[in-house]
Amino acid sequence: MRKLLNTLFVLSEDSYLTLDGETVLVLAGEEKRGQFPLHTLENILCFSYKGASPALIGKCAREGINFCFLTPKGRFLARVCGENSGNVLLRRTQYRVADDERQSCRIARNFIFGKVYNSRWSIERTRRDHAMRVDEEALERASDLLAESLLALPEINRLEELRGIEGKSAAVYFGVLDHLILNGRETFAFTGRSRRPPLDPVNALLSFAYTLLSNACAGALESVGLDAYVGFHHRDRPGRASLALDLMEELRPLFADRFVLTLINNRAIRSEHFDRQPSGAVWLSEEGRKIFLSAWQKRMQEPITHPYLKEKLAWGLVPYVQALLLARYLRNDLDGYPPFLWK
């Protein structure tokens, strides 16, 4: 099993990254802020406008280190990729399947099955652990509706129908997400998704988590030889990593939503950790991002037993394992793609 290495998060807006031998050097003007061996890194996420030297970017591309540029507020800008890895025959198979709606739907409905299943699990987990503090009737009703969607999904053979069930299920799930917030409700009330920009603290946290997750999924897909930009559920669009968005669907409720709920309910993130703009946009402050990313890194290192492989691994390896399983399915080594169904 692949080893999970460290992720370097560079948060200061005035930082510049450069190559120094086999290390990445973080500078602020002439001042040295840090130096890290490249062989210990799997990802570099740079939140600085100053960016990085071409020598460092090229080295990371050659060494397979995922390098992602984001704005200081956490919005995705670009991801650097090296040469394509993997067998060209795998990618040719991926492209043929993506061009066939029926075959695409067969894979896409497993992504969505995982998403709905894990959304329902999250609701049931809160019902079980905090029955006296939540509107159990509302959560039970939402859980039952998601269960109905799970029963309908295996019969779906058209992407348009699949998107209809996904949209309905998402509306049910986000309709009760506010009930899963147990603390700090004066700051963290949730009334619905707002994206570009996020308009409240909960959406700011969700958007930040989704950015990190999509980057992890894109890197995982590329590392097993798949094209992160050619999806089965999300169709082709210039500049969009459609397959990464596909893969992250089943992981959103666990990696992002549940993680955000834990930060809020444990009071790790508070009102003062957000910057509110005159336009209505709400972003994590630099201090808020530090807290978020520290908790995210810790979470990715926690051990789990994969529900399909029955092997112990770190949470952060789950996108890589799911990408590997998808590649195995496309190679006809598996009868179907097994989504990540948390128990």
Side-chain angles (χ1 to χ4, degrees):
M1 178 60 68
R2 167 173 152 174
K3 184 180 178 181
L4 180 66
L5 300 178
N6 294 320
T7 296
L8 173 62
F9 299 102
V10 181
L11 298 180
S12 299
E13 295 183 26
D14 60 345
S15 292
Y16 180 74
L17 283 68
T18 187
L19 183 66
D20 184 1
E22 295 296 316
T23 68
V24 53
L25 186 63
V26 183
L27 301 171
E30 297 299 319
E31 177 190 352
K32 175 181 171 181
R33 285 191 168 167
Q35 191 165 8
F36 307 90
L38 285 170
H39 74 270
T40 67
L41 299 177
E42 187 169 20
N43 301 282
I44 298 175
L45 273 65
C46 180
F47 294 80
S48 168
Y49 281 127
K50 288 193 173 182
S53 70
L56 175 62
I57 294 172
K59 179 72 170 178
C60 289
R62 290 192 300 274
E63 298 296 326
I65 299 171
N66 183 32
F67 203 124
C68 183
F69 293 96
L70 304 101
T71 70
K73 296 300 184 184
R75 290 194 63 176
F76 175 82
L77 291 174
R79 191 172 61 87
V80 177
C81 302
E83 291 185 10
N84 291 340
S85 60
N87 191 330
V88 66
L89 298 179
L90 173 61
R91 292 195 181 221
R92 286 174 63 85
T93 299
Q94 177 188 354
Y95 301 148
R96 284 195 295 270
V97 172
D99 286 337
D100 185 311
E101 179 172 349
R102 194 172 186 86
Q103 290 190 73
S104 291
C105 190
R106 189 176 300 127
I107 300 173
R109 73 188 179 200
N110 284 9
F111 291 139
I112 302 308
F113 187 94
K115 178 181 182 178
V116 176
Y117 179 98
N118 291 325
S119 297
R120 184 170 184 259
W121 175 90
S122 183
I123 291 171
E124 288 294 332
R125 175 68 180 268
T126 299
R127 283 184 66 200
R128 184 192 72 189
D129 294 348
H130 305 284
M132 302 299 293
R133 301 178 62 187
V134 298
D135 185 341
E136 192 169 4
E137 183 178 339
L139 295 184
E140 182 180 11
R141 185 164 57 249
S143 180
D144 290 343
L145 290 172
L146 294 178
E148 291 176 11
S149 294
L150 291 174
L151 291 174
L153 279 169
E155 305 302 320
I156 300 299
N157 292 305
R158 294 176 59 246
L159 289 172
E160 186 176 350
E161 282 185 84
L162 182 63
R163 294 189 185 102
I165 290 183
E166 181 197 14
K168 176 183 174 182
S169 299
V172 169
Y173 171 68
F174 281 116
V176 296
L177 189 66
D178 188 60
H179 294 288
L180 309 186
I181 298 171
L182 306 177
N183 291 313
R185 296 193 54 81
E186 64 282 357
T187 299
F188 295 107
F190 179 79
T191 58
R193 279 292 283 140
S194 57
R195 296 172 176 82
R196 299 181 183 89
L199 300 177
D200 58 67
V202 178
N203 276 291
L205 292 168
L206 289 174
S207 293
F208 196 53
Y210 292 158
T211 296
L212 297 177
L213 178 57
S214 64
N215 181 64
C217 288
L221 290 163
E222 296 285 350
S223 73
V224 303
L226 290 166
D227 188 336
Y229 287 82
V230 178
F232 305 114
H233 180 57
H234 293 83
R235 308 311 286 172
D236 295 351
R237 182 184 298 174
R240 181 172 76 175
S242 296
L243 188 58
L245 297 179
D246 285 356
L247 186 63
M248 70 181 281
E249 290 293 2
E250 67 199 69
L251 304 179
R252 283 177 189 260
L254 306 173
F255 271 73
D257 305 350
R258 199 76 199 176
F259 175 78
V260 165
L261 290 169
T262 298
L263 287 181
I264 294 172
N265 292 336
N266 288 347
R267 297 185 173 90
I269 291 284
R270 300 183 298 276
S271 176
E272 61 265 29
H273 294 136
F274 296 90
D275 291 331
R276 293 163 174 82
Q277 307 298 317
S279 64
V282 178
W283 305 99
L284 273 167
S285 66
E286 183 171 343
E287 180 63 24
R289 291 194 297 275
K290 288 179 181 178
I291 294 170
F292 188 106
L293 291 171
S294 176
W296 180 271
Q297 183 83 322
K298 183 178 179 181
R299 170 68 164 167
M300 293 304 104
Q301 299 285 347
E302 291 177 1
I304 64 161
T305 298
H306 193 280
Y308 178 77
L309 297 180
K310 309 301 181 187
E311 291 185 22
K312 283 192 174 181
L313 62 144
W315 266 105
L317 284 176
V318 171
Y320 170 77
V321 171
Q322 294 307 119
L324 200 60
L325 292 171
L326 178 59
R328 290 183 63 187
Y329 167 70
L330 291 171
R331 290 191 179 104
N332 289 320
D333 294 333
L334 294 174
D335 293 332
Y337 167 73
F340 185 82
L341 306 177
W342 193 230
K343 298 176 182 179

